[in-house]
């Protein structure tokens, strides 16, 4: 039988959110996967599903922008100036929202005093009348639409879902109905891609809701973490999922020395979450809620779509580096992207047998040369331009290798 008679396998990619940190992790992880998995081209997949920060990456991939190209523009800022990502886009105060709320304040103050005096309402009940004056977001997100529209309207790209060669679905949440809005699907595909990204990534409290056709939309993660069922319902053979946010397990044995390379000594051990104070507790709470919901979704996908192979990539729960970094940090993007790149390569080595069997049927093979190359890094630039810096980096690498060998020898002698 001629194998060419078989239709090509359909491969989909689902990217969840996690703020700038999540996007940085996903870029680094995809760069590692594309280098080490022959036959996998992230710009040639059949369906892309993006939620929150993942919507920006999914839209870029669907427009033919490779993970490496995104790394140049989003992480390194080494691409064309017109394509580089400027974090200041997301840090502009929401002046329009502030002004809109201030206009409402005089009338609300009158209502407050009326309920407090004539209405004889308790103080806290009367204060509720002032709540509409509170802004719905701190930072403006209009530049997401403006800048991505400019990026996607360049030659060879499109800002129109209907003109893409492959499917793209960017999920937001309708604020008034709490229902998922699958931009890109029939009935939702007339909205510009750039505006759909703006809506899908509008995290409540940080960014104001995005108004589209008299409806208001916020972050798609409010409904589901992954929204992978959008692609599964349309039939795919392989679904690759990337999730950057996981709770940290401080009680589990720490990661091996080889996996801890690049993590400063003071960040390698977190005895107790509570020692980090309120920010640490809130971070763990948020991550746990998001991840538990995703775990339930993944179990449902496996039962409801038994004919689809589903592979999930996410950080190690014992990795303190990603946990200790602020979700909205952008200053350390190069370091974090390199960390995600190396940790994904290590994960591919650890799961090599399992992944080889799953991926082989789709014409994807593991590139052992690229995977086992100890000198390979996300950036070709040297870590330090000085000879002393290079010597220190080399010495550190030798010490890490010695630590690995010593640990291995001790384990063997203990058996």
């Amino acid at each position: 039988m001629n194998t060419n008679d078989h239709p090509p396998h359909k491969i989909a990619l689902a990217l969840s959110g996690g703020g700038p940190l999540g996007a940085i992790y996903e870029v680094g992880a995809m760069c590692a996967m594309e280098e080490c998995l022959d036959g996998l081209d992230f710009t040639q997949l059949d369906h892309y599903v993006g939620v929150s920060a993942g919507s920006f990456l999914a839209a870029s991939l669907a427009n033919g922008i490779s993970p490496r190209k995104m790394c140049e523009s989003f992480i390194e800022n080494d691409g064309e100036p017109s394509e580089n990502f400027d974090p200041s886009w997301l840090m502009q105060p929401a002046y329009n929202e502030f002004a809109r709320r201030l206009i409402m304040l005089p009338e609300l103050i009158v209502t407050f005093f009326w309920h407090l005096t004539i209405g004889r309402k308790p103080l806290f009940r009367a204060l509720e009348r002032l709540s509409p004056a509170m802004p719905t977001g701190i930072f403006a997100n209009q530049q997401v639409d403006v800048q991505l529209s400019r990026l996607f309207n360049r030659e060879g790209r499109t800002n129109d879902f209907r003109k893409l060669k492959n499917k793209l679905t960017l999920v937001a949440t309708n604020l008034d109905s709490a229902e998922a809005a699958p931009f890109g699907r029939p009935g939702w595909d007339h909205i510009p891609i750039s505006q759909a990204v703006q809506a899908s990534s509008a995290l409540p409290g940080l960014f104001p809701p995005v108004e589209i056709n008299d409806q208001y939309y916020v972050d798609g993660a409010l409904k589901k973490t992954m929204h992978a069922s959008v692609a599964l319902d349309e039939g795919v053979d392989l679904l690759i999922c990337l999730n950057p946010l996981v709770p940290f397990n401080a009680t589990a044995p720490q990661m091996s020395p080889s996996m801890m390379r690049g993590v400063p000594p003071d960040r390698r051990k977190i005895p107790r979450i509570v020692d980090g104070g309120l920010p640490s507790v809130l971070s763990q709470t948020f991550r746990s809620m998001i991840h538990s919901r995703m775990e339930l979704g993944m179990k449902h996908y496996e039962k409801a779509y038994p004919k689809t192979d589903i592979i999930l990539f996410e950080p190690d729960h014992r990795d303190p580096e990603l946990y200790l970094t602020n979700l909205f940090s952008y200053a350390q993007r190069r370091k974090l992207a390199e960390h995600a790149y190396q940790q994904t390569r290590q994960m591919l080595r650890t799961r090599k047998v399992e992944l080889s069997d799953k991926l082989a049927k789709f014409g994807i093979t593991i590139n052992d040369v690229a995977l086992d190359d100890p000198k390979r890094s996300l950036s070709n630039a040297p870590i330090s331009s000085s000879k002393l810096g290079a010597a220190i980096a080399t010495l550190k690498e030798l010490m890490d290798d010695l630590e690995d060998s010593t640990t291995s020898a001790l384990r063997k002698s203990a058996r």
Side-chain angles (χ1 to χ4, degrees), residues 58 67 102 134 144 150 228 239 258 340 360 371 373 391 408:
L102 282 174
M134 296 182 65
V144 173
R150 175 183 56 80
L239 174 67
S258 61
L371 188 62
D373 182 1
S408 178

Side-chain angles (χ1 to χ4, degrees), residues 182-215:
F183 292 108
R185 297 298 86 218
W188 300 87
D189 54 1
H190 61 287
I191 305 300
I193 295 174
S194 57
Q195 194 173 29
V197 173
Q198 180 191 5
S200 179
S201 58
L203 183 64
L206 194 66
F207 301 110
V210 178
E211 183 180 3
I212 301 176
N213 295 340
D214 295 326
Q215 297 290 319

